[in-house]
PDB file of all heavy atoms in Angstrom:
ATOM      1  N   GLN A1613      13.448 -11.233  21.583  1.00 98.00           N
ATOM      2  CA  GLN A1613      12.200 -10.450  21.751  1.00 98.00           C
ATOM      3  C   GLN A1613      11.543 -10.675  23.111  1.00 98.00           C
ATOM      4  O   GLN A1613      11.473 -11.902  23.537  1.00 98.00           O
ATOM      5  CB  GLN A1613      11.182 -10.913  20.713  1.00 98.00           C
ATOM      6  CG  GLN A1613      11.577 -10.824  19.276  1.00 98.00           C
ATOM      7  CD  GLN A1613      10.555 -11.475  18.432  1.00 98.00           C
ATOM      8  OE1 GLN A1613      10.505 -12.681  18.242  1.00 98.00           O
ATOM      9  NE2 GLN A1613       9.701 -10.695  17.778  1.00 98.00           N
ATOM     10  N   LEU A1614      11.203  -9.598  23.737  1.00 97.00           N
ATOM     11  CA  LEU A1614      10.543  -9.661  25.032  1.00 97.00           C
ATOM     12  C   LEU A1614       9.274  -8.902  24.951  1.00 97.00           C
ATOM     13  O   LEU A1614       9.314  -7.750  24.475  1.00 97.00           O
ATOM     14  CB  LEU A1614      11.490  -9.095  26.127  1.00 97.00           C
ATOM     15  CG  LEU A1614      10.917  -8.935  27.521  1.00 97.00           C
ATOM     16  CD1 LEU A1614      10.706 -10.301  28.111  1.00 97.00           C
ATOM     17  CD2 LEU A1614      12.059  -8.279  28.340  1.00 97.00           C
ATOM     18  N   TYR A1615       8.155  -9.492  25.339  1.00 96.00           N
ATOM     19  CA  TYR A1615       6.836  -8.822  25.143  1.00 96.00           C
ATOM     20  C   TYR A1615       6.195  -8.426  26.492  1.00 96.00           C
ATOM     21  O   TYR A1615       6.354  -9.109  27.455  1.00 96.00           O
ATOM     22  CB  TYR A1615       5.835  -9.809  24.408  1.00 96.00           C
ATOM     23  CG  TYR A1615       6.175  -9.865  22.979  1.00 96.00           C
ATOM     24  CD1 TYR A1615       7.027 -10.823  22.357  1.00 96.00           C
ATOM     25  CD2 TYR A1615       5.550  -8.976  22.046  1.00 96.00           C
ATOM     26  CE1 TYR A1615       7.282 -10.924  21.062  1.00 96.00           C
ATOM     27  CE2 TYR A1615       5.804  -9.087  20.634  1.00 96.00           C
ATOM     28  CZ  TYR A1615       6.642 -10.016  20.143  1.00 96.00           C
ATOM     29  OH  TYR A1615       6.938 -10.079  18.825  1.00 96.00           O
ATOM     30  N   SER A1616       5.319  -7.436  26.404  1.00 93.00           N
ATOM     31  CA  SER A1616       4.448  -7.119  27.528  1.00 93.00           C
ATOM     32  C   SER A1616       3.190  -7.950  27.257  1.00 93.00           C
ATOM     33  O   SER A1616       2.973  -8.419  26.139  1.00 93.00           O
ATOM     34  CB  SER A1616       4.103  -5.632  27.485  1.00 93.00           C
ATOM     35  OG  SER A1616       3.117  -5.330  26.475  1.00 93.00           O
ATOM     36  N   PRO A1617       2.303  -8.038  28.261  1.00 89.00           N
ATOM     37  CA  PRO A1617       0.955  -8.559  27.951  1.00 89.00           C
ATOM     38  C   PRO A1617       0.174  -7.523  27.115  1.00 89.00           C
ATOM     39  O   PRO A1617       0.693  -6.443  26.883  1.00 89.00           O
ATOM     40  CB  PRO A1617       0.344  -8.735  29.342  1.00 89.00           C
ATOM     41  CG  PRO A1617       1.386  -8.341  30.347  1.00 89.00           C
ATOM     42  CD  PRO A1617       2.516  -7.640  29.657  1.00 89.00           C
ATOM     43  N   THR A1618      -0.971  -7.860  26.775  1.00 86.00           N
ATOM     44  CA  THR A1618      -1.776  -6.890  25.981  1.00 86.00           C
ATOM     45  C   THR A1618      -2.496  -5.920  27.006  1.00 86.00           C
ATOM     46  O   THR A1618      -2.805  -6.341  28.201  1.00 86.00           O
ATOM     47  CB  THR A1618      -2.873  -7.511  25.202  1.00 86.00           C
ATOM     48  OG1 THR A1618      -3.683  -8.354  25.994  1.00 86.00           O
ATOM     49  CG2 THR A1618      -2.312  -8.289  24.069  1.00 86.00           C
ATOM     50  N   TYR A1619      -2.575  -4.717  26.611  1.00 84.00           N
ATOM     51  CA  TYR A1619      -3.387  -3.745  27.378  1.00 84.00           C
ATOM     52  C   TYR A1619      -4.585  -3.320  26.569  1.00 84.00           C
ATOM     53  O   TYR A1619      -4.560  -3.370  25.283  1.00 84.00           O
ATOM     54  CB  TYR A1619      -2.540  -2.468  27.586  1.00 84.00           C
ATOM     55  CG  TYR A1619      -1.146  -2.750  28.193  1.00 84.00           C
ATOM     56  CD1 TYR A1619       0.008  -2.498  27.381  1.00 84.00           C
ATOM     57  CD2 TYR A1619      -1.003  -3.283  29.445  1.00 84.00           C
ATOM     58  CE1 TYR A1619       1.235  -2.827  27.919  1.00 84.00           C
ATOM     59  CE2 TYR A1619       0.303  -3.536  29.980  1.00 84.00           C
ATOM     60  CZ  TYR A1619       1.426  -3.297  29.215  1.00 84.00           C
ATOM     61  OH  TYR A1619       2.634  -3.602  29.692  1.00 84.00           O
ATOM     62  N   GLY A1620      -5.692  -3.038  27.256  1.00 78.00           N
ATOM     63  CA  GLY A1620      -6.946  -2.661  26.575  1.00 78.00           C
ATOM     64  C   GLY A1620      -7.296  -3.702  25.562  1.00 78.00           C
ATOM     65  O   GLY A1620      -7.417  -4.921  25.933  1.00 78.00           O
ATOM     66  N   GLU A1621      -7.534  -3.323  24.334  1.00 76.00           N
ATOM     67  CA  GLU A1621      -8.092  -4.334  23.334  1.00 76.00           C
ATOM     68  C   GLU A1621      -6.980  -4.958  22.472  1.00 76.00           C
ATOM     69  O   GLU A1621      -7.267  -5.301  21.281  1.00 76.00           O
ATOM     70  CB  GLU A1621      -9.145  -3.613  22.430  1.00 76.00           C
ATOM     71  CG  GLU A1621     -10.348  -3.106  23.214  1.00 76.00           C
ATOM     72  CD  GLU A1621     -11.086  -4.202  23.891  1.00 76.00           C
ATOM     73  OE1 GLU A1621     -10.920  -5.398  23.514  1.00 76.00           O
ATOM     74  OE2 GLU A1621     -11.845  -3.888  24.819  1.00 76.00           O
ATOM     75  N   GLY A1622      -5.831  -5.052  23.016  1.00 83.00           N
ATOM     76  CA  GLY A1622      -4.847  -5.819  22.273  1.00 83.00           C
ATOM     77  C   GLY A1622      -3.581  -5.047  21.991  1.00 83.00           C
ATOM     78  O   GLY A1622      -2.759  -5.537  21.230  1.00 83.00           O
ATOM     79  N   PHE A1623      -3.401  -3.867  22.542  1.00 88.00           N
ATOM     80  CA  PHE A1623      -2.193  -3.107  22.283  1.00 88.00           C
ATOM     81  C   PHE A1623      -1.116  -3.740  23.276  1.00 88.00           C
ATOM     82  O   PHE A1623      -1.393  -4.208  24.311  1.00 88.00           O
ATOM     83  CB  PHE A1623      -2.355  -1.605  22.760  1.00 88.00           C
ATOM     84  CG  PHE A1623      -1.164  -0.836  22.673  1.00 88.00           C
ATOM     85  CD1 PHE A1623      -0.821  -0.280  21.409  1.00 88.00           C
ATOM     86  CD2 PHE A1623      -0.348  -0.568  23.767  1.00 88.00           C
ATOM     87  CE1 PHE A1623       0.460   0.424  21.298  1.00 88.00           C
ATOM     88  CE2 PHE A1623       0.866   0.110  23.670  1.00 88.00           C
ATOM     89  CZ  PHE A1623       1.241   0.646  22.421  1.00 88.00           C
ATOM     90  N   PHE A1624       0.094  -3.780  22.777  1.00 92.00           N
ATOM     91  CA  PHE A1624       1.191  -4.278  23.580  1.00 92.00           C
ATOM     92  C   PHE A1624       2.499  -3.637  23.243  1.00 92.00           C
ATOM     93  O   PHE A1624       2.591  -2.928  22.173  1.00 92.00           O
ATOM     94  CB  PHE A1624       1.325  -5.856  23.523  1.00 92.00           C
ATOM     95  CG  PHE A1624       1.509  -6.379  22.088  1.00 92.00           C
ATOM     96  CD1 PHE A1624       2.727  -6.738  21.558  1.00 92.00           C
ATOM     97  CD2 PHE A1624       0.333  -6.609  21.259  1.00 92.00           C
ATOM     98  CE1 PHE A1624       2.838  -7.204  20.323  1.00 92.00           C
ATOM     99  CE2 PHE A1624       0.485  -7.126  19.994  1.00 92.00           C
ATOM    100  CZ  PHE A1624       1.764  -7.436  19.532  1.00 92.00           C
ATOM    101  N   LEU A1625       3.507  -3.908  24.063  1.00 95.00           N
ATOM    102  CA  LEU A1625       4.860  -3.371  23.847  1.00 95.00           C
ATOM    103  C   LEU A1625       5.862  -4.520  23.639  1.00 95.00           C
ATOM    104  O   LEU A1625       5.623  -5.662  24.135  1.00 95.00           O
ATOM    105  CB  LEU A1625       5.300  -2.466  24.945  1.00 95.00           C
ATOM    106  CG  LEU A1625       4.415  -1.254  25.102  1.00 95.00           C
ATOM    107  CD1 LEU A1625       4.552  -0.632  26.487  1.00 95.00           C
ATOM    108  CD2 LEU A1625       4.768  -0.174  24.098  1.00 95.00           C
ATOM    109  N   GLU A1626       6.945  -4.262  22.974  1.00 97.00           N
ATOM    110  CA  GLU A1626       7.907  -5.335  22.700  1.00 97.00           C
ATOM    111  C   GLU A1626       9.302  -4.700  22.849  1.00 97.00           C
ATOM    112  O   GLU A1626       9.521  -3.437  22.631  1.00 97.00           O
ATOM    113  CB  GLU A1626       7.757  -5.741  21.158  1.00 97.00           C
ATOM    114  CG  GLU A1626       8.707  -6.798  20.719  1.00 97.00           C
ATOM    115  CD  GLU A1626       8.603  -7.125  19.290  1.00 97.00           C
ATOM    116  OE1 GLU A1626       7.821  -6.422  18.575  1.00 97.00           O
ATOM    117  OE2 GLU A1626       9.310  -8.056  18.785  1.00 97.00           O
TER     118      GLU A1626
END
Side-chain angles (χ1 to χ4, degrees):
Q1613 303 172 279
L1614 176 62
Y1615 284 91
S1616 79
T1618 55
Y1619 309 113
E1621 298 299 342
F1623 177 82
F1624 56 96
L1625 296 160
E1626 179 185 5

